[in-house]
mmCIF file of all heavy atoms in Angstrom:
data_model
loop_
_atom_site.group_PDB
_atom_site.id
_atom_site.type_symbol
_atom_site.label_atom_id
_atom_site.label_comp_id
_atom_site.label_asym_id
_atom_site.label_seq_id
_atom_site.Cartn_x
_atom_site.Cartn_y
_atom_site.Cartn_z
ATOM 1 N N VAL A 110 -5.557 1.891 5.206
ATOM 2 C CA VAL A 110 -4.601 0.884 5.675
ATOM 3 C C VAL A 110 -5.011 0.484 7.093
ATOM 4 O O VAL A 110 -5.256 1.342 7.935
ATOM 5 C CB VAL A 110 -3.161 1.435 5.659
ATOM 6 C CG1 VAL A 110 -2.180 0.463 6.266
ATOM 7 C CG2 VAL A 110 -2.746 1.802 4.233
ATOM 8 N N SER A 111 -5.098 -0.815 7.353
ATOM 9 C CA SER A 111 -5.460 -1.300 8.683
ATOM 10 C C SER A 111 -4.333 -1.042 9.676
ATOM 11 O O SER A 111 -3.193 -0.826 9.291
ATOM 12 C CB SER A 111 -5.759 -2.803 8.624
ATOM 13 O OG SER A 111 -6.884 -3.046 7.811
ATOM 14 N N ARG A 112 -4.664 -1.099 10.971
ATOM 15 C CA ARG A 112 -3.644 -0.870 12.004
ATOM 16 C C ARG A 112 -2.476 -1.828 11.845
ATOM 17 O O ARG A 112 -1.327 -1.444 11.930
ATOM 18 C CB ARG A 112 -4.260 -1.012 13.391
ATOM 19 C CG ARG A 112 -5.002 0.219 13.813
ATOM 20 C CD ARG A 112 -5.510 0.088 15.246
ATOM 21 N NE ARG A 112 -6.873 0.582 15.248
ATOM 22 C CZ ARG A 112 -7.949 -0.176 15.376
ATOM 23 N NH1 ARG A 112 -7.842 -1.457 15.568
ATOM 24 N NH2 ARG A 112 -9.129 0.364 15.340
ATOM 25 N N ARG A 113 -2.780 -3.090 11.670
ATOM 26 C CA ARG A 113 -1.760 -4.122 11.380
ATOM 27 C C ARG A 113 -2.209 -4.752 10.066
ATOM 28 O O ARG A 113 -2.946 -5.710 10.043
ATOM 29 C CB ARG A 113 -1.698 -5.147 12.501
ATOM 30 C CG ARG A 113 -1.139 -4.569 13.789
ATOM 31 C CD ARG A 113 -1.230 -5.543 14.954
ATOM 32 N NE ARG A 113 -0.940 -6.915 14.602
ATOM 33 C CZ ARG A 113 0.204 -7.552 14.861
ATOM 34 N NH1 ARG A 113 1.158 -6.920 15.482
ATOM 35 N NH2 ARG A 113 0.371 -8.799 14.530
ATOM 36 N N HIS A 114 -1.749 -4.187 8.965
ATOM 37 C CA HIS A 114 -2.266 -4.519 7.638
ATOM 38 C C HIS A 114 -1.617 -5.764 7.036
ATOM 39 O O HIS A 114 -2.313 -6.655 6.558
ATOM 40 C CB HIS A 114 -2.060 -3.322 6.703
ATOM 41 C CG HIS A 114 -2.857 -3.396 5.450
ATOM 42 N ND1 HIS A 114 -4.054 -2.731 5.304
ATOM 43 C CD2 HIS A 114 -2.639 -4.058 4.304
ATOM 44 C CE1 HIS A 114 -4.536 -2.991 4.101
ATOM 45 N NE2 HIS A 114 -3.695 -3.785 3.473
ATOM 46 N N ALA A 115 -0.286 -5.803 7.042
ATOM 47 C CA ALA A 115 0.420 -6.901 6.377
ATOM 48 C C ALA A 115 1.752 -7.163 7.063
ATOM 49 O O ALA A 115 2.233 -6.354 7.862
ATOM 50 C CB ALA A 115 0.658 -6.573 4.901
ATOM 51 N N GLN A 116 2.321 -8.307 6.732
ATOM 52 C CA GLN A 116 3.632 -8.692 7.260
ATOM 53 C C GLN A 116 4.542 -8.995 6.079
ATOM 54 O O GLN A 116 4.145 -9.689 5.148
ATOM 55 C CB GLN A 116 3.478 -9.931 8.131
ATOM 56 C CG GLN A 116 4.774 -10.467 8.678
ATOM 57 C CD GLN A 116 4.519 -11.682 9.540
ATOM 58 O OE1 GLN A 116 3.869 -11.586 10.558
ATOM 59 N NE2 GLN A 116 5.013 -12.829 9.105
ATOM 60 N N LEU A 117 5.757 -8.461 6.119
ATOM 61 C CA LEU A 117 6.750 -8.692 5.075
ATOM 62 C C LEU A 117 7.928 -9.441 5.662
ATOM 63 O O LEU A 117 8.314 -9.199 6.809
ATOM 64 C CB LEU A 117 7.258 -7.363 4.504
ATOM 65 C CG LEU A 117 6.239 -6.350 4.005
ATOM 66 C CD1 LEU A 117 6.940 -5.063 3.614
ATOM 67 C CD2 LEU A 117 5.476 -6.909 2.833
ATOM 68 N N GLU A 118 8.505 -10.344 4.866
ATOM 69 C CA GLU A 118 9.776 -10.984 5.222
ATOM 70 C C GLU A 118 10.657 -10.887 3.995
ATOM 71 O O GLU A 118 10.330 -11.430 2.943
ATOM 72 C CB GLU A 118 9.565 -12.441 5.625
ATOM 73 C CG GLU A 118 8.907 -12.585 6.983
ATOM 74 C CD GLU A 118 8.851 -14.028 7.437
ATOM 75 O OE1 GLU A 118 9.923 -14.655 7.530
ATOM 76 O OE2 GLU A 118 7.733 -14.501 7.685
ATOM 77 N N VAL A 119 11.773 -10.174 4.136
ATOM 78 C CA VAL A 119 12.638 -9.882 2.999
ATOM 79 C C VAL A 119 13.919 -10.686 3.083
ATOM 80 O O VAL A 119 14.594 -10.699 4.116
ATOM 81 C CB VAL A 119 12.995 -8.375 2.961
ATOM 82 C CG1 VAL A 119 13.755 -8.036 1.704
ATOM 83 C CG2 VAL A 119 11.746 -7.523 3.085
ATOM 84 N N ASP A 120 14.250 -11.394 1.995
ATOM 85 C CA ASP A 120 15.567 -12.024 1.879
ATOM 86 C C ASP A 120 16.199 -11.527 0.592
ATOM 87 O O ASP A 120 15.627 -10.690 -0.103
ATOM 88 C CB ASP A 120 15.488 -13.562 1.967
ATOM 89 C CG ASP A 120 14.675 -14.191 0.852
ATOM 90 O OD1 ASP A 120 14.697 -13.678 -0.276
ATOM 91 O OD2 ASP A 120 14.023 -15.214 1.106
ATOM 92 N N ALA A 121 17.364 -12.018 0.237
ATOM 93 C CA ALA A 121 18.086 -11.504 -0.921
ATOM 94 C C ALA A 121 17.313 -11.669 -2.229
ATOM 95 O O ALA A 121 17.419 -10.830 -3.119
ATOM 96 C CB ALA A 121 19.444 -12.192 -1.031
ATOM 97 N N ASP A 122 16.530 -12.737 -2.362
ATOM 98 C CA ASP A 122 15.865 -13.039 -3.634
ATOM 99 C C ASP A 122 14.422 -12.560 -3.734
ATOM 100 O O ASP A 122 13.941 -12.279 -4.829
ATOM 101 C CB ASP A 122 15.867 -14.553 -3.884
ATOM 102 C CG ASP A 122 17.277 -15.114 -3.921
ATOM 103 O OD1 ASP A 122 18.173 -14.405 -4.417
ATOM 104 O OD2 ASP A 122 17.476 -16.244 -3.455
ATOM 105 N N ALA A 123 13.706 -12.542 -2.634
ATOM 106 C CA ALA A 123 12.270 -12.256 -2.695
ATOM 107 C C ALA A 123 11.771 -11.650 -1.391
ATOM 108 O O ALA A 123 12.452 -11.665 -0.371
ATOM 109 C CB ALA A 123 11.498 -13.538 -2.993
ATOM 110 N N CYS A 124 10.560 -11.147 -1.471
ATOM 111 C CA CYS A 124 9.872 -10.617 -0.297
ATOM 112 C C CYS A 124 8.563 -11.379 -0.168
ATOM 113 O O CYS A 124 7.758 -11.396 -1.092
ATOM 114 C CB CYS A 124 9.596 -9.128 -0.474
ATOM 115 S SG CYS A 124 8.607 -8.408 0.855
ATOM 116 N N ARG A 125 8.378 -12.033 0.958
ATOM 117 C CA ARG A 125 7.114 -12.732 1.212
ATOM 118 C C ARG A 125 6.184 -11.733 1.878
ATOM 119 O O ARG A 125 6.551 -11.093 2.864
ATOM 120 C CB ARG A 125 7.331 -13.927 2.123
ATOM 121 C CG ARG A 125 6.025 -14.648 2.424
ATOM 122 C CD ARG A 125 6.280 -15.892 3.241
ATOM 123 N NE ARG A 125 5.005 -16.560 3.487
ATOM 124 C CZ ARG A 125 4.644 -17.022 4.659
ATOM 125 N NH1 ARG A 125 5.475 -16.935 5.694
ATOM 126 N NH2 ARG A 125 3.495 -17.619 4.805
ATOM 127 N N ILE A 126 4.981 -11.605 1.340
ATOM 128 C CA ILE A 126 4.004 -10.688 1.885
ATOM 129 C C ILE A 126 2.770 -11.470 2.301
ATOM 130 O O ILE A 126 2.314 -12.340 1.574
ATOM 131 C CB ILE A 126 3.652 -9.578 0.868
ATOM 132 C CG1 ILE A 126 2.736 -8.546 1.495
ATOM 133 C CG2 ILE A 126 3.057 -10.152 -0.398
ATOM 134 C CD1 ILE A 126 2.592 -7.299 0.660
ATOM 135 N N ARG A 127 2.300 -11.189 3.520
ATOM 136 C CA ARG A 127 1.088 -11.837 4.042
ATOM 137 C C ARG A 127 0.133 -10.760 4.515
ATOM 138 O O ARG A 127 0.509 -9.914 5.324
ATOM 139 C CB ARG A 127 1.426 -12.731 5.232
ATOM 140 C CG ARG A 127 1.713 -14.141 4.890
ATOM 141 C CD ARG A 127 1.863 -15.014 6.108
ATOM 142 N NE ARG A 127 2.017 -14.265 7.354
ATOM 143 C CZ ARG A 127 1.530 -14.640 8.522
ATOM 144 N NH1 ARG A 127 0.870 -15.765 8.632
ATOM 145 N NH2 ARG A 127 1.727 -13.927 9.602
ATOM 146 N N ASP A 128 -1.090 -10.805 4.011
ATOM 147 C CA ASP A 128 -2.117 -9.900 4.500
ATOM 148 C C ASP A 128 -2.568 -10.423 5.865
ATOM 149 O O ASP A 128 -2.740 -11.625 6.039
ATOM 150 C CB ASP A 128 -3.296 -9.859 3.521
ATOM 151 C CG ASP A 128 -4.318 -8.829 3.935
ATOM 152 O OD1 ASP A 128 -4.156 -7.661 3.543
ATOM 153 O OD2 ASP A 128 -5.259 -9.190 4.670
ATOM 154 N N LEU A 129 -2.754 -9.546 6.818
ATOM 155 C CA LEU A 129 -3.120 -9.948 8.173
ATOM 156 C C LEU A 129 -4.614 -9.763 8.446
ATOM 157 O O LEU A 129 -5.004 -9.403 9.542
ATOM 158 C CB LEU A 129 -2.280 -9.166 9.197
ATOM 159 C CG LEU A 129 -0.771 -9.379 9.104
ATOM 160 C CD1 LEU A 129 -0.042 -8.468 10.091
ATOM 161 C CD2 LEU A 129 -0.418 -10.832 9.352
ATOM 162 N N GLY A 130 -5.429 -10.029 7.424
ATOM 163 C CA GLY A 130 -6.872 -9.879 7.582
ATOM 164 C C GLY A 130 -7.308 -8.425 7.509
ATOM 165 O O GLY A 130 -8.272 -8.032 8.152
ATOM 166 N N SER A 131 -6.608 -7.634 6.705
ATOM 167 C CA SER A 131 -6.912 -6.211 6.600
ATOM 168 C C SER A 131 -8.297 -5.978 6.009
ATOM 169 O O SER A 131 -8.827 -6.813 5.280
ATOM 170 C CB SER A 131 -5.864 -5.521 5.728
ATOM 171 O OG SER A 131 -5.934 -6.014 4.407
ATOM 172 N N ARG A 132 -8.857 -4.838 6.326
ATOM 173 C CA ARG A 132 -10.204 -4.500 5.858
ATOM 174 C C ARG A 132 -10.242 -4.254 4.353
ATOM 175 O O ARG A 132 -11.153 -4.689 3.669
ATOM 176 C CB ARG A 132 -10.691 -3.263 6.590
ATOM 177 C CG ARG A 132 -12.044 -2.782 6.120
ATOM 178 C CD ARG A 132 -12.370 -1.474 6.763
ATOM 179 N NE ARG A 132 -13.632 -1.591 7.461
ATOM 180 C CZ ARG A 132 -14.165 -0.633 8.157
ATOM 181 N NH1 ARG A 132 -13.526 0.509 8.296
ATOM 182 N NH2 ARG A 132 -15.329 -0.789 8.736
ATOM 183 N N ASN A 133 -9.263 -3.545 3.806
ATOM 184 C CA ASN A 133 -9.267 -3.164 2.392
ATOM 185 C C ASN A 133 -8.330 -3.984 1.525
ATOM 186 O O ASN A 133 -8.181 -3.713 0.343
ATOM 187 C CB ASN A 133 -8.955 -1.670 2.248
ATOM 188 C CG ASN A 133 -10.056 -0.833 2.846
ATOM 189 O OD1 ASN A 133 -11.221 -1.050 2.565
ATOM 190 N ND2 ASN A 133 -9.693 0.110 3.693
ATOM 191 N N GLY A 134 -7.672 -4.968 2.096
ATOM 192 C CA GLY A 134 -6.878 -5.902 1.314
ATOM 193 C C GLY A 134 -5.504 -5.409 0.902
ATOM 194 O O GLY A 134 -5.166 -4.240 1.016
ATOM 195 N N THR A 135 -4.722 -6.381 0.430
ATOM 196 C CA THR A 135 -3.396 -6.144 -0.108
ATOM 197 C C THR A 135 -3.422 -6.659 -1.539
ATOM 198 O O THR A 135 -3.906 -7.760 -1.791
ATOM 199 C CB THR A 135 -2.334 -6.895 0.722
ATOM 200 O OG1 THR A 135 -2.431 -6.447 2.083
ATOM 201 C CG2 THR A 135 -0.944 -6.643 0.202
ATOM 202 N N HIS A 136 -2.915 -5.863 -2.473
ATOM 203 C CA HIS A 136 -2.964 -6.223 -3.888
ATOM 204 C C HIS A 136 -1.562 -6.222 -4.487
ATOM 205 O O HIS A 136 -0.757 -5.356 -4.175
ATOM 206 C CB HIS A 136 -3.828 -5.234 -4.668
ATOM 207 C CG HIS A 136 -5.253 -5.223 -4.220
ATOM 208 N ND1 HIS A 136 -5.663 -4.586 -3.072
ATOM 209 C CD2 HIS A 136 -6.348 -5.782 -4.761
ATOM 210 C CE1 HIS A 136 -6.959 -4.748 -2.932
ATOM 211 N NE2 HIS A 136 -7.405 -5.469 -3.934
ATOM 212 N N ALA A 137 -1.307 -7.190 -5.362
ATOM 213 C CA ALA A 137 -0.065 -7.248 -6.130
ATOM 214 C C ALA A 137 -0.406 -7.850 -7.487
ATOM 215 O O ALA A 137 -1.217 -8.768 -7.568
ATOM 216 C CB ALA A 137 0.981 -8.108 -5.417
#
Side-chain angles (χ1 to χ4, degrees):
V110 174
S111 296
R112 280 185 224 108
R113 291 173 39 103
H114 195 98
Q116 177 179 296
L117 307 174
E118 287 187 58
V119 187
D120 62 34
D122 301 324
C124 174
R125 179 176 181 226
I126 186 168
R127 268 187 346 145
D128 185 87
L129 299 175
S131 65
R132 177 187 236 178
N133 294 311
T135 302
H136 298 77

